[in-house]
Amino acid sequence: MSTLAARKGHNKQHEMLQDRAMFVRLETLRLSRICGAGHYSSTFSAAELFAALYYSHLRLDPKKPKWPDRDRFVLSKGHAAIGLYPILADLGYYKMSALDNYTKLGSHFGDHPNMKHIPGIDFSSGSLGHGLSIGVGMALAGRMQNRPYRTYVMLGDGELSEGQIWEAAMAAGHFKLQGLVAIVDRNQLCIDGHTEEVMGVEPIGDRFKSFGWDVQRIDGHDFDAIMPALANLKPAGNGRPQVIIADTIKGRGVKRMELSLQWHVANLAGQDYDDAAAEIRAGLQPLAKVGKNRG
Amino acid sequence: MAKSVAIKKKRAAGDDAQSQDAIFRGTSGGDATLNDATFKDKKSVRGTPNAALPAFILGEELANLADKDPRIAVLTADLANANRTNDFKRRHPDRFFNLGIAEKNMMTIAAGMASCGHVTYAATFASFCAILGAEQIKTDCAYPAMPVRLIGHHSGMSMGFYGTSHHALEDLAITRTIADLTVVCATDANHLRAILRASVDHPGAMYIRLGRGRDPEVYPEVPKSFRIGKAATLRKGDDMTIICCGSVVRASLDAADILAKRGISVRVIDMHTIKPLDAGAVRKAARETGAILTVEEHNVTGGLGTAVAEVLVEEDRIPFQRHGVPDEFVPVGPPAALYAHYKLNAEGIAKKAQTFLAKAGKH
């Protein structure tokens, strides 16, 4: 393949991924409207990460959701499930119409994901601080069963305040779980404010390093950064566990939500809904505000 | 009204852990005239066969099961010696994981492994199990119906003089209220073997409560009739029923012997499964013996007694009483002294039962 053709293919893939990230944001609007409330901004910060993982990187077979050799994905920040559900439907785990009664009585789809009812959800989540331990268990199981899968855990930055995260980080380093990959959605805000004002989590990279992890720090909205970081990951084996700290913007994609504390859980109605949808369809625009601690 | 008592304990020969003369001040109940024999701790008896020490067979039995079942994995939190999961480690090192002093992490990791097809046994002191990891048990084990078996050993006040931080008198109350969680108490070594064998293919998560590993024998062999959720009637009787579990089953049987000599016929039921409770056995006992005393090494609030009360409250009224540890923090003391203090030894249970029957107008 010529360099030009490779470049074209690369551009095409990025266009596709950008389109899917947009799809995640639009579906988040749609599902939130059904429910009357939604975790918009925590999902928007992870939209590019979701798209890259599910449409390009993870080894999955939607026809066989329990395939024992599949890569595992644990959404430790379970409140972003509203962005994951549409992806799983889009990939064929279930019909998109299954989401039409999102959060209604009798629906399998709540604000936080339930593995018992939703194909493609590898573990239920919702209580922050648990996901990395779940991932350690999955990675150890892979080792016991001699299966080559990797285990990915998406963490919020706010949940790094939970002590159990560091118990798990310590265990992953101790057991040399190279097949364990943590992705920190460093969107800067927890509910009550900026993480560094509420409870400082930096320096995240140094902290993971000191627990025996390999660290990459990237722009979590830029596929030119996300895709190489994912490609850099080592396969499962005996070695340092790996973390990608993705610097993101909480609420990215809708100006009024970006780095705003008002949109952690909220509801868009009427003209606001249409305005937000139009903004998302226009694609990511230059940032209105600059974050305080970009990597 | 609670009365304070001071009790002087004499040396129990050959037992380092119990060898210090100890004085403890009780805050309720208690009997100031206890003799030396009352304080003789089972632990101090030389030559007790290992088979009679439940915690001591834990690792061995799990290793036996794992010989035939590749799904089984065992975790602990820096207590591999205390719970003898070391015996498992020796035979299955690739399926043994010591998480260090990080119990919540251990429980959630066990759930993560279980989601990939393993049946996991995670063991730690009962004092650091249900009460410390209640949310991990609920959210990561019970709710997603993971086959995680949480093993809380050295439960109740069996840690004696280690004090309240090491006592677990709330664990049944906590675990009993978690939906879809099975809660089982081991009575002795053979009983624990039966529980572990039955646990392998049991659906969903389980909490298994163990004594201190030195509980006196009740089952001379592994009970073949053991079923999770099915109470075992260990002694027939007509005047009343003692419904008990775990470490106090032996003492309850011995109490029934004492009472028999006094002309009182006592049925004894080992209600090893606290959840789901064998409500049928409770109703039958109420109907046939007309009086029920529950006995447990647990706070009387929320444990076995409460579970039985929840059945009886919907039946015709019969005399009923709960016997266990009152709602208070237990004083420091050797276990045997504490059992005597709280009337959870044979003599104490017999006394309690007789008073109960007299009050009920039955004897």
Side-chain angles (χ1 to χ4, degrees), chain A residues 116 127 130 133 145 164 167, chain B residues 105 108 116 135-136 140 143:
Chain A
K116 276 201 287 191
S127 176
H130 294 217
S133 302
Q145 297 169 27
Q164 195 178 336
E167 294 180 9
Chain B
N105 191 37
T108 309
C116 296
E135 199 236 338
Q136 282 73 11
D140 301 332
Y143 170 54

Side-chain angles (χ1 to χ4, degrees), chain A residues 4 6 32 60 77 111 129 179 202 212 217 234 243 254 265 268 288:
Chain A
L4 188 65
S32 296
L60 301 169
K77 48 172 288 179
D111 191 74
E202 294 286 356
R217 190 149 191 165
K234 297 186 193 92
V243 60
V254 175
V265 174
L268 284 167

Side-chain angles (χ1 to χ4, degrees), chain A residues 70 72 113-116 122-124 127 130 133-134 136-138 140-141 144-145 149 164 167-168 171 174-175, chain B residues 73 94-95 97-99 102-105 108-109 111-113 115-116 118 135-136 139-140 143-146 180:
Chain A
R70 74 190 184 281
R72 303 304 197 275
N114 183 341
M115 67 191 289
K116 276 201 287 191
D122 286 325
F123 212 92
S124 305
S127 176
H130 294 217
S133 302
I134 293 290
V136 169
M138 290 172 163
L140 287 171
M144 279 190 275
Q145 297 169 27
Y149 63 76
Q164 195 178 336
E167 294 180 9
H174 177 81
F175 291 123
Chain B
D94 297 343
R95 287 191 266 161
F97 304 93
N98 196 330
L99 278 307
E103 294 81 7
K104 300 188 293 294
N105 191 37
T108 309
I109 287 174
M113 279 178 188
S115 76
C116 296
H118 289 281
E135 199 236 338
Q136 282 73 11
T139 309
D140 301 332
Y143 170 54
M146 289 293 106
D180 289 351

Side-chain angles (χ1 to χ4, degrees), chain A:
Chain A
M1 204 194 282
S2 73
T3 319
L4 188 65
R7 185 76 209 154
K8 258 189 172 165
H10 165 92
N11 287 345
K12 235 180 158 164
Q13 189 199 34
H14 283 206
E15 271 169 35
M16 178 273 285
L17 293 174
Q18 275 158 6
D19 176 69
R20 291 298 84 189
M22 186 185 294
F23 161 75
V24 166
R25 291 191 173 92
L26 289 171
E27 280 297 302
T28 301
L29 292 193
R30 179 177 81 90
L31 297 179
S32 296
R33 185 157 65 178
I34 296 172
C35 171
H39 279 101
Y40 296 104
S41 48
S42 305
T43 308
F44 289 178
S45 62
E48 279 72 26
L49 297 168
F50 279 152
L53 286 164
Y54 273 89
Y55 291 98
S56 163
H57 186 71
L58 296 177
R59 267 178 88 230
L60 301 169
D61 184 352
K63 287 191 194 70
K64 291 189 285 179
K66 304 264 181 204
W67 179 37
D69 287 329
R70 74 190 184 281
D71 282 341
R72 303 304 197 275
F73 180 78
V74 179
L75 185 61
S76 192
K77 48 172 288 179
H79 52 287
I82 192 172
L84 188 53
Y85 296 152
I87 291 178
L88 295 177
D90 191 34
L91 291 173
Y93 283 93
Y94 42 83
K95 288 189 180 130
M96 194 62 90
S97 60
L99 297 175
D100 289 348
N101 66 341
Y102 170 70
T103 68
K104 301 291 183 197
L105 186 65
S107 170
H108 292 328
F109 300 87
D111 191 74
H112 301 99
N114 183 341
M115 67 191 289
K116 276 201 287 191
H117 298 306
I118 306 174
I121 296 293
D122 286 325
F123 212 92
S124 305
S125 55
S127 176
L128 297 172
H130 294 217
L132 199 56
S133 302
I134 293 290
V136 169
M138 290 172 163
L140 287 171
R143 179 175 287 172
M144 279 190 275
Q145 297 169 27
N146 198 23
R147 296 186 191 279
Y149 63 76
R150 279 190 291 221
T151 303
Y152 296 79
V153 180
M154 186 183 284
L155 301 166
D157 49 2
E159 77 171 309
L160 298 181
S161 304
E162 290 276 7
Q164 195 178 336
I165 294 284
W166 301 101
E167 294 180 9
M170 194 184 292
H174 177 81
F175 291 123
K176 300 195 170 15
L177 297 176
Q178 190 171 280
L180 181 64
V181 179
I183 298 171
V184 179
D185 178 8
R186 178 68 176 119
N187 67 22
Q188 308 183 45
L189 303 187
C190 43
I191 295 175
D192 283 350
H194 197 282
T195 57
E196 301 315 284
E197 283 155 15
V198 175
M199 182 52 65
V201 295
E202 294 286 356
I204 301 173
D206 289 346
R207 286 180 177 178
F208 272 100
K209 253 180 227 161
S210 73
F211 280 79
W213 290 58
D214 274 348
V215 179
Q216 301 185 71
R217 190 149 191 165
I218 60 164
D219 179 339
H221 293 299
D222 180 1
F223 290 111
D224 281 325
I226 298 170
M227 300 310 286
L230 292 174
N232 279 343
L233 293 171
K234 297 186 193 92
N238 268 312
R240 294 165 74 85
Q242 311 174 75
V243 60
I244 296 173
I245 301 161
D247 281 300
T248 58
I249 299 290
K250 190 156 175 172
R252 184 73 171 114
V254 175
K255 268 248 133 55
R256 75 171 92 167
M257 294 188 190
E258 289 176 355
L259 295 181
S260 159
L261 291 177
Q262 310 306 316
W263 294 90
H264 180 76
V265 174
N267 186 29
L268 284 167
Q271 189 60 41
D272 290 340
Y273 183 98
D274 296 335
D275 291 349
E279 231 185 292
I280 289 166
R281 284 201 187 88
L284 294 186
Q285 303 299 312
L287 278 174
K289 295 175 217 164
V290 178
K292 285 181 187 170
N293 44 271
R294 316 262 308 151

